[in-house]
Amino acid sequence: MRIVDWADEAEGGPAVVLLDQRALPHRTAHLHLTSVDEVIDAIRTLAVRGAPNLGVTGAYGVALAAHRHGTATPVAVAAVRAEAEALATARPTAVPLSLGVRRALAALDGGPAAVLAEARAVAAEGAAANHAAAGRTADLVRDLRPGRPLRALTVCNTGPLATGEGGTALGAILRLHAEGDLAEVLACETRPLLQGARLTVWELANAGVPHRLCVDSAGPAAIASGLVDVVLAGADRIAANGDVANKIGTYMLACAAARSAVPFVIVAPEETIDPGTPTGVDIVVEERGDDEVRGIGDTLVTLPGTPVYNPAFDVTPAELVTAIVTENRVWSPTPAASHV
Ligand code: MRU
C-alpha cells in the first residue's frame, strides 16, 4: 500500500500521494496533493506522521516545489527555497523532517528530476535503515527470557505508517513474531490522537501479531505487574547525550521499566540522533491544539473551553534508556542502564 509516494504526470501528477492516516483504521483513503501548502497542511494535521515518514514527505514536498516552479531562474529557485523552509518547519520536534528537506534541496542544481531522485533515495535509504535496525533489535532482545517467547510493550506507532518500509520498534516486533519469538504485544492507546489504538493495532492485526490494547496509564502498571519483558519504542529526536524525545507517555514507561529492571529499548534510524541538540532540554517539544485533548474525534469529553496542556512529546533522560538501536549500532548512552 502506498503510504508516502510520488505521482508523475501519467498518474495526474506531479503530486505527493499520502495515505490519509486520519481516516484509519476504519477507512483507507489517499490524498493527491498538488501544492506545497497542501503538503504542509497534511503534515500539521497528521494525515502523514512519524519522524522518518515526515522526512520522506518533506523531500517529496521539495520535489513538488521544484516541479511547480522549475529551477531555471533565480526567482524560481527562491520560490522553491521559500516553500522548502516552510516544509522544514511545519512541525518542530522530529529531526528527519528538516533533514529530508535539506537533502532534497541540495539536489536543486540538477533540476526537478534530480530533486525527485533524491527524495526517492531518502525513502529507499530509510527502508534499508529500518530493516537493519529492526533486525538488530530482534537479535538483541530475543533471548531476554530463555525458554519462552517475549511479551513486549510499545507506545504510539512505529510501523511502516510512521517510518516507511520495515518499521522501527514495530519492525522489531514484527520480526520477533515472524521468527516465533513473540508471545504478545501490549499497545498503549496513545492519547490524545490514539496512534496506538488506531494505527499500531491496525498494523498488528494486519500482520496477525497477538496483541492487546491498553490505556496509557495501564502501561506502567503492566510493567510493574511483570507482564512486560521489554519496552520497544521509537524516537522523534535523540540528543547527542542520548536523551530521547518520543510521543507523550513514553517517559512514564521508561520510569516504570527502570524501577522493574525491564529493558527500555529505542529503535530509530541513526539520523534521529542529532549532534546539534546537546541534551534533552534543547529539544523543542511541539505543543498542539486544545481540542485534541478536549475531545475524542468529534465528541467533546470535557467542558467546552477548558484550558488544556497538550505537549505532543516528552523527553526520556538517557539514564533511563537501556539501548538505542540504529542501522549502525547498539548504543547505551549511560552504560549503567544497559541491562539487556
Ligand atoms: O505525532 P506523531 O504521530 O508524528 O508522533 C511521532 C511518532 O510516531 C512517535 O513519536 C514514534 O514513537 C516515533 S516516530 C516513528
Side-chain angles (χ1 to χ4, degrees):
M1 179 179 300
R2 295 170 104 179
I3 296 171
V4 180
D5 205 355
W6 176 262
D8 57 24
E9 282 76 5
E11 289 185 287
V16 177
V17 177
L18 300 175
L19 175 64
D20 187 349
Q21 299 189 30
R22 298 166 301 190
L24 291 174
H26 302 302
R27 206 161 48 84
T28 304
H30 281 88
L31 303 170
H32 202 87
L33 307 177
T34 55
S35 76
V36 168
D37 281 350
E38 289 174 323
V39 176
I40 289 171
D41 185 63
I43 290 171
R44 292 210 172 115
T45 59
L46 273 55
V48 61
R49 41 153 297 285
N53 268 348
L54 289 178
V56 177
T57 306
Y60 279 133
V62 178
L64 184 60
H67 278 77
R68 281 174 62 93
H69 297 290
T71 57
T73 67
V75 172
V77 167
V80 175
R81 288 193 181 281
E83 292 195 340
E85 176 59 23
L87 277 164
T89 54
R91 294 185 71 194
T93 305
V95 70
L97 175 57
S98 57
L99 292 179
V101 168
R102 247 187 279 148
R103 265 190 68 172
L105 259 188
L108 214 51
D109 284 352
V115 179
L116 177 57
E118 192 62 24
R120 290 195 198 284
V122 170
E125 288 168 30
N130 288 348
H131 285 297
R136 180 170 284 120
T137 306
D139 291 344
L140 182 72
V141 304
R142 96 171 70 252
D143 294 324
L144 271 176
R145 298 289 174 264
R148 67 166 174 79
L150 287 179
R151 299 156 313 167
L153 180 145
T154 193
V155 60
C156 198
N157 172 254
T158 57
L161 287 171
T163 63
E165 187 193 304
T168 56
L170 205 67
I173 286 168
L174 297 173
R175 189 76 70 102
L176 289 165
H177 168 69
E179 291 162 5
D181 293 319
L182 189 82
E184 180 193 53
V185 182
L186 272 180
C188 293
E189 62 177 352
T190 321
R191 269 285 283 156
L193 294 178
L194 301 170
Q195 289 94 333
R198 295 187 303 107
L199 308 176
T200 296
V201 161
W202 187 71
E203 290 186 313
L204 289 170
N206 287 344
V209 179
H211 60 278
R212 284 187 286 171
L213 178 66
C214 64
V215 297
D216 297 325
S217 44
I223 293 167
S225 307
L227 298 176
V228 176
D229 300 316
V230 63
V231 178
L232 294 169
D236 295 86
R237 185 179 296 253
I238 301 171
N241 73 338
D243 294 346
V244 175
N246 192 50
K247 182 53 60 186
I248 190 72
T250 303
Y251 171 58
M252 68 178 176
L253 299 172
C255 291
R259 189 167 162 80
S260 296
V262 168
F264 177 87
V265 177
I266 296 293
V267 191
E270 188 75 30
E271 66 174 6
T272 315
I273 304 170
D274 181 17
T277 302
T279 73
V281 296
D282 305 299
I283 296 175
V284 176
V285 171
E286 176 183 7
E287 290 216 22
R288 294 187 58 86
D290 298 349
D291 285 343
E292 290 182 356
V293 175
R294 289 186 188 130
I296 297 181
D298 292 333
T299 306
L300 190 68
V301 296
T302 186
L303 297 177
T306 297
V308 160
Y309 170 57
N310 186 18
F313 305 97
D314 58 27
V315 178
T316 297
E319 63 261 30
L320 297 181
V321 178
T322 309
I324 294 168
V325 186
T326 76
E327 68 275 28
N328 295 342
R329 57 183 166 147
V330 176
W331 176 34
S332 292
T334 310
S338 60
H339 47 264
V340 176

